[in-house]
Each structure stands twice: as C-alpha cells, then as structure tokens.
Amino acid sequence: MKAPVSWIREYVDLPEAVSTDELAAKLTMLGLKLEALETPADAITGPLVVGRVLSIEKEPQKNGKVINWCTVDVADANGTGEPQGIICGAHNFVEGDLVVVCLPGAVLPGNFEISARKTYGHISAGMICSAAELGLGEGAFNSHDGIIVLPADAGAPGDDAFDVLDMHDSVIEFEINPDRAYALSLRGIAREAATGFDVPFRDPADRDVPAANGDGPPVVVDDAEGCPVFVARSVTGFDASAPTPEWMAQRLAGAGMRPISLAVDITNYVMLELGQPIHGYDRAKLAGAIRVRRATEGEQLTTLDGQLRKLSAEDLLITDDSGPIGIAGTMGGQTTELSESTSDVVIEAAHFDAVSIFRTERRHKLPSEASKRFERGVDPELPAAAADRVVELMVELGGATADDGVTVVGEAPPRRSVTAATDLPARVTGMEISAETTVANLEKVGCDVTVNGDTLAATVPSWRPDMSDPFDLVEEVARIVGYDKVPSVLPPAPSGRGLPLAQKLRRRVGLVLAGAGWTETINYPFVGDVDWANLGLADDDERRRTIRMANPLNAEEPQLATTLLPGLLRSLGLNVGRGNADASLFETGLVFLPKGDEKAPILGVDRRPTDEEWAAIEKAVPHQPQHLALALTGQREREGWWGEGRQGSWADAIGAVRDVAGALGIEIEVRAASVAPWHPGRCAEIRVGETVLGHAGELHPKVCKAYGVPARSAAAEVDLDALLGLAQVTTPSPSFGSYPVAKEDVALVVDASVPSADVAAALHEGAGDLIESVRLFDVFTGEQVGPGKKSLAFALRFRAPDRTLKEGEAGAARDAAVALAGERMGAVQRA
Amino acid sequence: MSGPNTDYDPVEVTPLRADEVEAQVEAALAAVAGAADLEALKQVRLEHAGDRSPLALANREIGALPPQARKEAGARVGKARGMVNKALGERLAVLEAEHEERMLVEETVDVTLPTDRTLSGARHPITMMSERIADVFVAMGWEVAEGPQVEAEWLNFDALNMGADHPARTMQDTFWLEPAEAALVLRTHTSPVQARTMLTREPPIYVVCPGRVYRTDEIDATHSPVFHQVEGLVIDEGITMAHLKGSLDHFATAMFGEGITTRFRPSYFPFTEPSAEVDLICFVCRGIDADSCRTCRGEGWIEWGGCGVVNPRVLTACGVDPEKYTGFAFGMGIDRTMMFRHGVEDMRDIFEGDIRFAQPFGIEI
C-alpha cells in the first residue's frame, strides 16, 4: 500500500516538525512496515521551472516525424530573461500553455543530465517534461500522451516547478500484514499515525448519510451470508468526459493507481481513501434489478480484463435480468462497464464474505484491488458512507445530480465484544502495563471498553474483524506501549538432556567423511523419469514408486526422490564440468517412500486430536528415512613429487561406508551384488546380519555417461537411519595380551570367483583360539597360479593371552587354518 | 723384589725395543691422524691395532721374555697400545661426528614441497550452521526436535491456526502432493514440528527444530525452493514475551558476538499472537556509520525472522491447556543467517554442489 504523506496528513494533525522518516519509523513500530520511501524531488536536481510556450514551429523531419521548435518564457530562471529555445517531440500542447521546463544543468532520474545541445538543426536549451521523465506516476497531470500541461492557474513562468508539481510530497509504501486490512486505506493509515503521535484523527468515513428509502436502484440479495450489506446509490447526468482533477490524479498516481477516467478514478479514490471497494454500473446498460446470488455451474462472464470466465457454483455473482454482470467483490463484467458515453451511474458499495471472495479469487487466479481488501476483511459499516462519498465526488467533479433514492439491503453485523482479564497484556508480554494503560490503548484503536473488576469487555471497532480473541487485545495494547519496551529476560533453564544421540552420530559421520577428503553437498530432492532412465532402473524397481507433486516447479521433475543418487550424481557432473576433476562428494538427506494409500485427515482445531485421529495422521505421512550417499570421480590421492596418484574406485566407495560404520562401532558385512546403478560385477551389498543397509561400488558405464562423469566413477548409498540405529553406544573395553606375537604368512590359491572375505573367515575360524588377526596383504593372478585362479596372501598373527607361544604352536594353528580354507573353498597353499 | 736380569738384554728382541715401540706408536698416531674418513680409519685400526699389527705382534713376544723382563716390556707395549687405541677412539669420534654432520647436510630436503597428497574434505556450511544454532540452545538446556518434510496439511496449516480459507496460506507458496485427497504437503516451514512436539510430549517444552523446508520459488540469488529454517518453541507456566526477547538476545549474542541484540516490530503470523518481526543489530557496523554498510544496507538492523507468543488456538489444537500454559515461538532462515554472517551473495552456491563452495568452511562454522 502506497500512501502520499500529504494525504495522510489530511486526516491527522501531525506536527509540522514530524519528518517523513519519523512518520515511517513510527508506523513501522506500530506494525505498518516501511517498504519504500520515495520523494520525487529527491531524484531530481533543478533547475525545474514553470514555462509558458510562446511559439511553436512544426518542423517535419525526413523520417516522417514532426518535431516542435518552441520558444518558452521562463522569466529570469535562465539568467537572461530571454525566451528559451527548446525542441519538443510531444504534440499535446499549444501556444500559451504552461509547461514544466528542465533547464540545462538539471539532472533527471536515472542520472540523466540536461544540457544545451544541437539537435534537429537548433540549439535546444533544456527539455519540456512529461510526468514519466520526472519520475511521477504514469498518467499524472494528464500527460498520458505527451508532456505535462499545467492548469492555467498553476503558476507563473519562472516559478519553481517542484512546488507546483508537489514533488516534495513523499510517498511511503507500507507492507500491510493480512490482519491489518484496515490499513489498506488512507483512513486506516492516518488512524495509526494519529495513535502513534497521540494527536486527533478526523475519520473521513464519519459523514451524515441519507437514510435508506424505497426509491433507490432496485437490489435483491439472495445470499445474505455472502453479501450481508448492499448499498446502491445513483447519479444522473454525469459528464464522463470531464477531466480528473490534478489533485486526484496525483494522489492516485502516488498511491500506485493509474488515472483512467473520472468515473473510474472516483471509485478508486474512494476505495483508497476509505478502504471500501466500489463498483460503478452504467445504468443504461443494466437490465432490471441488481441481484446478488451464487452462480450456477457452467455460467460464464467476460470480466473487465477481457477474460471469459467459467463460473463455479460457489462464486458469488452480481447479476441482472441479462445474467451475470460481475463477480462480486472481485471484478466487474464488460456489459455494464462505465464508458465515455455513460451519463447515469449506479454505485455499488457492498460488503462481501471474506472466505467466499478468497475462494473465488483463488479459483479464478484473479487478484484485484477489491478482492485483496475483501478477503482480508473490510469494515462492514462503511458502505453507506463510501457510496455517499462517491455520489458527492461525482456531483462535484462530474457535474452529476445526486438521485434521492438510497437502497440499503441488509445490515452490518453487530460489533464483536471480547472479554479479557485486565492484567492479560502484562502477563503475556512481561511488560509493566497497568489496567489503565490497557483500557486507554484499546480505546485508541477504536474499542469501547467497560471494566468490571479484573475483567474488561472490549467492543471491537467494525474495521477490525481480526480482533476476536483476548490475545488479539494483548497485541493491540502491546504495540502501542511499544515492542521496544519488552524486557529481555532468559526463561528459567530446564535441565536438558543434551543433543539427541542420532544428531551426535550424524555429526560423527560427517566429520569422519570430511576428514577422509569427502565434501558435503545439499541437493534438491526433485526427480523425474529421466533420472530413473539415467540410473538404469528396471521398470519394476521399487525406487520408481514415488510421491508426486501436484505443482512441481519443473514439469520434468515432478517426483520426490527415493534415492539421493540422482541429485548427487548431477552435482558430480557439475563439478566435472567446472574442472573439479577430483571430486569426492557426500550428502545426507531424507528420501520419500510412499506407503501406498496416504490420506491425511483434516482434523478439527478446537481440541487435541484423539489417539485414533493422531494415528491416522501418522499413518498417512510417508516413510522418510535419512540416507547417506557418496559419489566420487578422479583421484583419491593426488600424483605429485612423491610419485603416482591413486585413482578413486569402487573400493573407495565401499571403504567410505566401512569407515562410517567403523566410526559408529558397527561391523558390516560386504557381499557381491548386482543392483542398478552400479556395475554388475563391481557392486557390493552392505549388510548387518540379514539386513541390507545399502550398496556401494563402481557406477555402470552407462550411468557415468548419462551424468557426464568419467567412467569408473563410484558411488554408495545406505540407509543412515538404519545404520545409526545399530551404532554401538557404549564400547566395551578390549582385552589384549602382552606376550610376544607370532607371525605366519600364507599364500592360498583359490578359484577367482571365491570371495576373499570367505577365505579370510575360514582362516580365522580354522586357526582356533590363538589367532589374533587375519589380514589380506596381496592378491596375485597370472601364469604361476593358473587360469581362473588367484593367489591370496594373508598375514596371520597369533598370540596367547597368558603365555609365550611354544615352538611350533603358531605353525600348527596356521596349518589348521589353511586346512579349513582348503576344505571350505578348495584353497591350496602355494609352495 | 728380584734383582735386575743382567743376563738378558731386552734390546736383543727387536720389536720390544723402546725405540722400535716408539716408532710404531709414532707411525700409528700419524696414520690415525691421517685417516680422512671412517673407512680409512678402519684400515688404520687393522694395520696398527689389529691382531697382526706390529704392536700386537710385539705384545705376543712378551711371553717369550724371561719373567723379569716381562714387566717392563709389558708396560711399554701396553702403554703404546693404549696410546694408539686412545688415538683411534678419539679419531673415530671426530670422524663419526663429521660423518653425521655431513649426512645431515646431505639429507637436506626442500621442506617447501607440497604435501597435498590427500584430498581435503568439508561439511556443508548449512549443516554446520544448523548444528551451531542447535548447540546454542542445547547449552541453554533446550532439546533438539525433528520432523518429516512431507507433512500432513493439517499439521502444516490447520493446527497452526491457518485454516483452508486463511489468506496467510497463499503467502506460503506450497508444494502440494498428489493426490489432493492425501492432504499432504512439502512442509512450508518448520512449525509443524512445534505442533508435533506439543502433541507428543508434556510441558514444559523447550525445543529448537532446525530443518529443511520448501516453497514454490524459482531459484535465484536470494530464493530457493528448498531452504532451511530453525524454529524455537517454549511452553511453560508463566512464559512471556520478555522470555522470548531474552532467548533471542542470547541467541543473537551467541551467534554474532557481544553487544549484538535484537529488536521487535509488530507483525502477523497466524500461529502467534502477539507477533513480531525480529531485527538484529547489524553485527558489521553496529548501527554506527550504517549508511556505508553493505551488510545492513544502511538500516543498522538486519531482518532476521519472526516470532511471537504462541496463539492459544494453536495450544488448544495441540492439546496444551491455554489456561495453564503460555509459550513463545520463533523462526528464522538458516540459509539467510549463514549468507549474511559469511557474506555469501548467491543462494545458488549453497545448493549447486560445487565443492569449492563448501571446502573453505572446513568442519566447523
């Protein structure tokens, strides 16, 4: 909401000394937030003066344009008193007109410097200005089609044009919260200013209005709930061609509304002034009585914006015998539109139900100045005064005659009364607020207050539909006392339980990975079928079962991710594309797994949900476990003066999962698997017991290609919640002997397909109690071991807890270990 | 004591002659002194102190002497060998010291060589900022709560006093999920965690809930459809707006330093009443010389978030007795906080995944 300061001051006796900045600051602290402050004069450096056009020579140009070579009297403003020669391209003025002249040396908005310069064969010493060039609202000063032509009595040549144009008048733009619909009017803003500076307020809605009679325009309201009040007045003989007076055009432009025609400007002006949306009908185009009713399904209406709209049975309509002529409180129709030939006007000032307007506005995506106000709540007591104000202006400015008929259908609902303890504001805010202050502040916002002992009853003003609860009264009292007076007190410290275990463990995971050279990323969980194709997921892959957004930002990505890999691999591709060739990424985030028949109930809010209702909510919310994903490409160890680098591989992906599990004290088992998007021969299943927690390995070559990353890039994804659930919280103390260790190495030849982990497990088991560790230190294939075979070299360590091993003990244990490996997987010891 | 052996003239045994021994000692000492390195000294030791050295051979001759001559000869040779061994020892020490010194010089490396063999990793600054915030409140005895990101419409809106026809709903551009009957949304704020907390535990409640939220904003320098909020909620007996102010002042100081506190401006949120916007004293210019400050753009204050006293309607819907308890809630953007605290100018950097963004932040923010 934009408000010219001069307009605000019209209704409130602000001391002259109050600056615009102070006014804006005060209103901000009352809840009308300063969004922008503009003073047109501040954007211009003079000289900017009034000039009288003495002569105009029309000079046709080769390009077909005609320019005007003018002489303009600017009196002594140019230092010489001689007429100023200026070239002007506009044509909406004649000799003798008063215009606004920018003399050389002036700087216009946009740092546009004016100087005397040669153009079209003349020295043009300045510029005759349009409203737009001066940064004034579009259409101000009737300059729709050219320069500003001032009224004949506006001033004399040489006068300072800043004053004549009122350019020192600032416009404050406020951000108005939904609960302060009354502040979408000058009436409301001025009232706040009066409250803020504790000075009297003159309510522009406070006027004597003629009583309703039976002679007004006929109106029938079929839906009193949707339209509790409908006031109709009319004027006759309105001069639709009369110009909008300068002061009105200027205020409209300042408030951000484009002046259009006198009739429309008057309705807009009154809406801005009072906050009551007004609609005008050309009486000649109305057929029979105005009727307010709900639409029937399938009805249509062409609204003023030229759109043909299909109406819903919930839409509240204004109709006449011809059918719909407007969507109530939202936008009028074309058939009864005011035009240049309109002479008799029917004026509608009605009150419509906020919810109905809100739904219609959303249904038709049709926000308008009227609907914006109605959906937030307009003062239902305003219509009569607003209609009367429109009549007054049409008579005054358009030469119309006011008709005697006054139609009033329905009445404003009674004012609401809210009861509260007198000390409630003090108790809720922690400020020292006396009962007297509470009453005084409520009266300032327009309440009638009666106090009975410790309780007060506040009759809430009609323009404050938002005030319905005791705590609403608290806010009103508190903001007038001043939020800056709220003391700063720490609440009593509870004995907290510290960070939840899951959070601690997640931090640990992040630190372990960052320490190992992995960099965390955050990716959007929005995916599409192309991602599933890129990952090479089978049609029946569980990960294709997704939750969809009804209104995705990108139609290609309407699904919520069931795996973190698409986002992470896109990031990996981005890094490669930007030259970050060695990238090891990780991400932790939720994935969204549908349960199948989600249907969350919309419960009441007047009480706590029952256990059944709460269970229904819980059941409807999809399963959203936290996952951990990793992806890497390029080197894990850089090459350098120390020698070769080490290319990252499937092993690093699996290794990182092992590191994470290790940091959580979890022993994981790694098994060969074949799952998309991994290389079928280089994919590991990560499990603990029978539970599969995720997969890791080298990405399938096609997947690498699809995401634009080099072949052999690797990735992993595990269910982090499940992993954290297995974390060992209390590590038991290890026991280890201090007697000497005995070391034995063995090299075993097995079929190439035998998992080394199985061989290691067999060795461990076969070695008996003395075995301390089994570590694979070499894998060898080649002629010596034969085709289809591999040689695995293990280092075995033996130790007894209570004694030094005797000669041959370790050897015997080693032989037993090898024997079991031989029995289990045909391992043969290499000579 | 026996008299002198006049029958025996030791001079007759040449190697034991005093002059001969002396000559050997001289030769040995000269050789020792002349040994330039450890290898040469080893040779010298062999030649002059080894088993086959003249003095060793002379020593062996002593046994052949008559007893009365042995003592003198023994003393002479012993002394000679002692001198040689001592010289050898001293020379060895010198040469070893020289050797070590030379080795150390020879082993000099270029310590300015790069050592960046392993990759440096980092955690995401948004993760770390969330943790830092959580730590501030955990230190005050609060707890950390979390909730789902796909949320029931009722929890995201209705329970927070935003019924289906509430104009404030349109202010939060919501991602709705299919089908419409599911009544599910991507949560537009972390406030449903408030509702969940009240519905699942008894007051007193002191929780902070950092998390990811969603709005249908196209990404640009200052908007993202995915962003992060932190929400605080306190429900207890006798809680006032002053406690809200105290908590936020403490939070501001913990995040931005001594002297950085907040101010309240009246505002509107359906779930709080009274409601306020929270501004932070600009931690760069502290309101002094604000005109040239790029962080607060001349305001002296930075818009930080929203807050208020929990609306009793919300308490009622969430099963908390509004007659017994009052509470406060606040919420702010973690991304925004991180951006102005660290001078991040483009929100896209946060979500794009370029490793160069996260890496300078390391492992703690």
Side-chain angles (χ1 to χ4, degrees):
Chain A
M1 175 78 196
K2 288 181 166 182
V5 171
S6 62
W7 202 353
I8 298 174
R9 282 181 177 268
E10 187 176 326
Y11 312 121
V12 50
D13 295 324
L14 289 182
E16 277 302 320
V18 172
S19 71
T20 301
D21 284 339
E22 283 171 304
L23 175 61
K26 179 71 86 178
L27 289 171
T28 295
M29 288 312 285
L30 280 172
L32 311 188
K33 194 197 161 222
L34 170 70
E35 189 73 15
L37 179 64
E38 275 177 37
T39 307
D42 290 352
I44 296 175
T45 313
L48 187 71
V49 300
V50 174
R52 187 181 302 284
V53 180
L54 300 178
S55 68
I56 304 176
E57 280 176 42
K58 297 213 173 283
E59 298 186 349
Q61 301 296 310
K62 282 189 199 127
N63 60 9
K65 266 170 67 178
V66 177
I67 59 100
N68 298 307
W69 169 236
C70 310
T71 55
V72 185
D73 174 14
V74 293
D76 289 336
N78 57 5
T80 66
E82 293 297 314
Q84 196 83 357
I86 301 174
I87 294 284
C88 181
H91 300 284
N92 63 327
F93 63 106
V94 295
E95 288 172 0
D97 275 350
L98 281 184
V99 296
V100 177
V101 178
C102 210
L103 292 172
V107 183
L108 296 186
N111 217 11
F112 177 34
E113 282 184 46
I114 303 299
S115 57
R117 62 192 183 98
K118 191 157 178 170
T119 180
Y120 295 110
H122 298 281
I123 300 289
S124 181
M127 187 168 90
I128 304 177
C129 303
S130 71
E133 283 159 347
L134 297 179
L136 302 173
E138 196 191 341
F141 301 98
N142 288 313
S143 65
H144 296 287
D145 33 58
I147 55 145
I148 295 170
V149 178
L150 296 169
D153 58 355
D159 283 358
D160 182 4
F162 286 115
D163 291 334
V164 172
L165 297 175
D166 234 349
M167 289 177 67
H168 294 294
D169 188 16
S170 303
V171 173
I172 308 177
E173 183 174 0
F174 296 103
E175 185 188 311
I176 304 296
N177 286 315
D179 62 332
R180 303 205 179 275
Y182 66 95
L184 292 171
S185 69
L186 270 299
R187 179 195 188 210
I189 293 169
R191 188 192 303 279
E192 293 291 300
T195 304
F197 290 95
D198 213 4
V199 291
F201 167 65
R202 280 183 302 280
D203 188 350
D206 187 7
R207 47 192 300 131
D208 289 329
V209 295
N213 54 46
D215 304 331
V219 173
V220 180
V221 175
D222 288 344
D223 192 323
E225 210 173 294
C227 177
V229 185
F230 196 115
V231 171
R233 296 280 297 273
S234 60
V235 297
T236 308
F238 176 74
D239 178 5
S241 65
T244 300
E246 214 41 70
W247 60 267
M248 181 180 279
Q250 222 174 317
R251 283 184 167 181
L252 288 172
M257 294 191 87
R258 195 170 178 270
I260 295 167
S261 68
L262 180 58
V264 174
D265 292 350
I266 288 172
T267 59
N268 284 337
Y269 183 84
V270 172
M271 177 181 70
L272 290 170
E273 183 182 70
L274 302 177
Q276 168 68 51
I278 304 285
H279 194 70
Y281 302 89
D282 186 334
R283 181 151 70 185
K285 296 177 189 166
L286 279 172
I290 289 175
R291 179 178 288 268
V292 185
R293 63 165 170 83
R294 296 285 166 181
T296 52
E297 203 70 44
E299 269 187 301
Q300 295 188 337
L301 172 69
T302 303
T303 40
L304 282 174
D305 55 3
Q307 298 276 316
L308 179 67
R309 297 184 185 270
K310 278 194 175 157
L311 303 170
S312 138
E314 280 191 29
D315 290 332
L316 193 65
L317 297 184
I318 311 296
T319 68
D320 67 2
D321 292 351
S322 71
I325 56 172
I327 303 179
T330 306
M331 196 173 275
Q334 279 186 332
T335 58
T336 56
E337 188 178 3
L338 299 174
S339 70
E340 305 223 337
S341 61
T342 300
S343 133
D344 299 348
V345 182
V346 172
I347 298 146
E348 165 203 309
H351 188 76
F352 298 111
D353 174 53
V355 169
S356 173
I357 301 294
F358 177 65
R359 289 185 180 169
T360 292
E361 182 200 53
R362 273 204 302 182
R363 191 175 305 118
H364 295 289
K365 297 191 172 59
L366 186 59
S368 67
E369 289 293 329
S371 66
K372 186 168 87 183
R373 288 172 172 79
F374 279 126
E375 72 173 24
R376 288 167 168 79
V378 173
D379 182 350
E381 293 179 12
L382 262 182
D388 193 57
R389 174 73 168 137
V390 173
V391 169
E392 177 185 61
L393 289 169
M394 286 193 168
V395 168
E396 196 177 296
L397 307 174
T401 307
D403 297 336
D404 291 337
V406 175
T407 301
V408 177
V409 179
E411 60 180 344
R415 294 189 176 195
R416 191 188 283 125
S417 179
V418 180
T419 307
T422 50
D423 68 346
L424 189 66
R427 272 194 284 133
V428 170
T429 63
M431 291 191 273
E432 282 179 25
I433 300 174
S434 67
E436 291 71 30
T437 303
T438 293
V439 172
N441 287 358
L442 287 174
E443 283 171 349
K444 277 186 192 171
V445 300
C447 293
D448 291 327
V449 186
T450 54
V451 179
N452 188 356
D454 294 339
T455 309
L456 64 81
T459 302
V460 173
S462 56
W463 59 88
R464 292 301 302 270
D466 61 297
M467 290 172 67
S468 59
D469 294 0
F471 275 50
D472 297 329
L473 305 186
V474 172
E475 179 170 277
E476 292 306 307
V477 172
R479 75 187 177 98
I480 294 172
V481 171
Y483 275 20
D484 54 336
K485 309 273 191 328
V486 176
S488 188
V489 180
L490 274 174
S495 49
R497 278 171 284 186
L499 208 56
L501 178 64
Q503 296 254 352
K504 281 189 203 160
L505 295 177
R506 253 182 265 150
R507 292 186 185 191
R508 196 190 293 176
V509 168
L511 285 169
V512 165
L513 288 170
W518 299 80
T519 300
E520 187 177 12
T521 62
I522 294 178
N523 297 292
Y524 292 166
F526 307 138
V527 294
D529 285 339
V530 66
D531 284 297
W532 307 141
N534 284 346
L535 291 180
L537 300 193
D539 289 345
D540 61 350
D541 191 295
E542 190 63 14
R543 285 165 290 181
R544 282 182 182 263
R545 242 170 52 81
T546 55
I547 297 164
R548 286 175 177 267
M549 289 173 278
N551 54 337
L553 277 184
N554 175 355
E556 302 294 312
E557 296 174 353
Q559 307 171 44
L560 294 182
T562 49
T563 155
L564 299 178
L565 290 176
L568 197 59
L569 294 179
R570 280 184 235 162
S571 275
L572 195 64
L574 175 131
N575 277 290
V576 170
R578 290 190 179 175
N580 307 331
D582 305 326
S584 295
L585 310 182
F586 77 98
E587 179 179 8
T588 61
L590 300 193
V591 297
F592 305 92
L593 310 179
K595 288 175 179 164
D597 54 347
E598 285 83 1
K599 196 170 182 314
I602 302 293
L603 306 174
V605 291
D606 54 343
R607 57 171 175 78
R608 175 195 195 92
T610 63
D611 289 350
E612 291 76 37
E613 287 170 336
W614 179 243
I617 292 257
E618 296 265 57
K619 180 168 171 281
V621 173
H623 188 42
Q624 298 163 63
Q626 176 127 217
H627 276 201
L628 162 68
L630 305 114
L632 74 145
T633 187
Q635 296 187 330
R636 281 289 294 159
E637 279 173 29
R638 292 194 189 86
E639 65 203 5
W641 57 267
W642 50 77
E644 294 278 291
R646 192 177 63 72
Q647 204 66 19
S649 75
W650 57 270
D652 294 285
I654 299 172
V657 175
R658 278 209 171 95
D659 289 347
V660 166
L664 298 170
I666 302 168
E667 252 184 72
I668 56 165
E669 195 184 339
V670 173
R671 291 268 132 206
S674 184
V675 172
W678 285 277
H679 184 308
R682 299 184 169 193
C683 171
E685 184 177 86
I686 311 294
R687 35 198 305 168
V688 172
E690 288 309 301
T691 313
V692 176
L693 294 172
H695 296 87
E698 182 176 310
L699 288 166
H700 194 288
K702 283 184 185 154
V703 175
C704 293
K705 213 168 189 179
Y707 285 99
V709 297
R712 309 257 176 251
S713 295
E717 180 167 23
V718 293
D719 183 337
L720 186 60
D721 280 347
L723 196 63
L724 297 184
L726 296 166
Q728 183 175 273
V729 181
T730 312
T731 305
S733 171
S735 66
F736 45 83
S738 51
Y739 289 91
V741 65
K743 300 175 188 173
E744 297 278 343
D745 289 354
V746 294
L748 299 176
V749 176
V750 292
D751 283 346
S753 63
V754 172
S756 64
D758 291 356
V759 181
L763 288 173
H764 208 288
E765 192 183 328
D769 292 343
L770 297 177
I771 190 78
E772 185 174 87
S773 68
V774 174
R775 182 168 185 278
L776 177 72
F777 67 90
D778 196 19
V779 180
F780 181 76
T781 55
E783 266 175 45
Q784 294 97 316
V785 293
K789 298 278 185 186
K790 64 184 172 190
S791 167
L792 305 173
F794 292 94
L796 312 183
R797 289 163 67 91
F798 299 92
R799 200 189 315 249
D802 52 351
R803 61 195 167 83
T804 301
L805 289 180
K806 291 198 282 285
E807 186 83 27
E809 261 189 304
R814 176 202 63 207
D815 292 345
V818 170
L820 191 62
E823 188 184 311
R824 289 248 177 100
M825 47 270 317
V828 176
Q829 190 163 9
R830 271 179 88 193
Chain B
M1 178 181 275
S2 54
N5 176 14
T6 51
D7 293 331
Y8 175 73
D9 180 4
V11 177
E12 307 260 317
V13 183
T14 312
L16 292 174
R17 277 200 341 243
D19 56 342
E20 189 60 25
V21 168
E22 207 165 299
Q24 287 302 338
V25 169
E26 259 171 48
L29 293 183
V32 167
D37 54 29
L38 289 168
E39 195 52 41
L41 189 68
K42 197 172 164 190
Q43 203 55 44
V44 170
R45 181 184 296 277
L46 268 179
E47 282 171 21
H48 296 278
D51 287 350
R52 309 190 66 76
S53 64
L55 283 175
L57 294 176
N59 196 44
R60 262 184 240 161
E61 298 286 342
I62 293 171
L65 292 182
Q68 62 271 43
R70 284 182 194 164
K71 187 177 176 187
E72 188 192 342
R76 185 181 304 144
V77 174
K79 188 179 167 207
R81 293 182 79 187
M83 283 170 68
V84 172
N85 280 333
K86 180 163 175 273
L88 276 169
E90 284 170 359
R91 186 65 186 151
L92 181 68
V94 168
L95 288 177
E96 272 180 345
E98 272 178 20
H99 174 73
E100 189 179 66
E101 204 170 316
R102 196 166 54 247
M103 283 301 291
L104 290 178
V105 170
E106 282 171 6
E107 283 172 4
T108 298
V109 295
D110 176 2
V111 295
T112 69
L113 284 170
T115 56
D116 55 347
R117 187 167 186 163
T118 54
L119 304 180
S120 52
R123 305 180 68 213
H124 198 282
I126 291 294
T127 312
M128 295 188 287
M129 184 59 79
S130 303
E131 292 174 358
R132 190 183 176 94
I133 291 169
D135 288 345
V136 170
F137 289 97
V138 167
M140 291 164 70
W142 298 30
E143 291 180 28
V144 180
E146 291 179 320
Q149 291 168 20
V150 168
E151 185 58 284
E153 177 186 347
W154 185 79
L155 279 162
N156 194 73
F157 291 122
D158 301 70
L160 300 169
N161 194 31
M162 261 189 279
D165 295 311
H166 201 295
R169 272 208 190 191
T170 50
M171 292 164 70
Q172 302 194 351
D173 301 315
T174 309
F175 282 111
W176 293 90
L177 302 181
E178 288 183 341
E181 311 84 78
L184 294 172
V185 298
L186 278 168
R187 68 178 181 196
T188 56
H189 45 191
T190 40
S191 309
V193 184
Q194 276 187 33
R196 285 179 170 274
T197 306
M198 287 187 266
L199 283 162
T200 51
R201 55 171 106 169
E202 293 294 318
I205 291 170
Y206 290 77
V207 292
V208 62
C209 340
R212 201 168 294 186
V213 299
Y214 300 82
R215 305 252 175 114
T216 56
D217 289 322
E218 295 283 353
I219 185 150
D220 62 24
T222 54
H223 296 87
S224 165
V226 178
F227 58 105
H228 301 80
Q229 277 187 346
V230 59
E231 184 112 356
L233 173 74
V234 166
I235 306 284
D236 205 343
E237 289 179 53
I239 288 297
T240 73
M241 243 177 135
H243 295 126
L244 169 59
K245 181 81 164 60
S247 301
L248 288 172
D249 282 343
H250 180 82
F251 180 23
T253 304
M255 293 297 288
F256 296 98
E258 277 307 316
I260 303 302
T261 54
T262 63
R263 79 166 176 194
F264 287 175
R265 279 184 287 114
S267 188
Y268 173 75
F269 305 105
F271 29 90
T272 49
E273 188 76 34
S275 302
E277 298 280 343
V278 190
D279 295 340
L280 186 71
I281 293 178
C282 177
F283 60 94
V284 175
C285 69
R286 291 177 179 252
I288 305 157
D289 259 346
D291 285 345
S292 57
C293 181
R294 289 181 51 185
T295 300
C296 64
R297 291 174 209 286
E299 299 276 326
W301 296 91
I302 299 169
E303 281 186 41
W304 200 19
C307 67
V309 174
V310 179
N311 193 315
R313 288 172 186 252
V314 174
L315 296 181
T316 302
C318 295
V320 174
D321 180 0
E323 297 299 320
K324 185 171 179 195
Y325 295 104
T326 49
F328 67 74
F330 61 84
M332 42 271 297
I334 295 174
D335 316 73
R336 213 182 107 65
T337 304
M338 201 283 285
M339 286 173 81
F340 66 66
R341 190 170 183 263
H342 296 271
V344 176
E345 284 179 0
D346 195 323
M347 204 158 184
R348 280 169 286 219
D349 292 341
I350 295 174
F351 296 98
E352 226 165 36
D354 192 317
I355 53 174
R356 292 170 299 174
F357 175 67
Q359 280 178 347
F361 294 97
I363 55 169
E364 186 141 18
I365 200 165

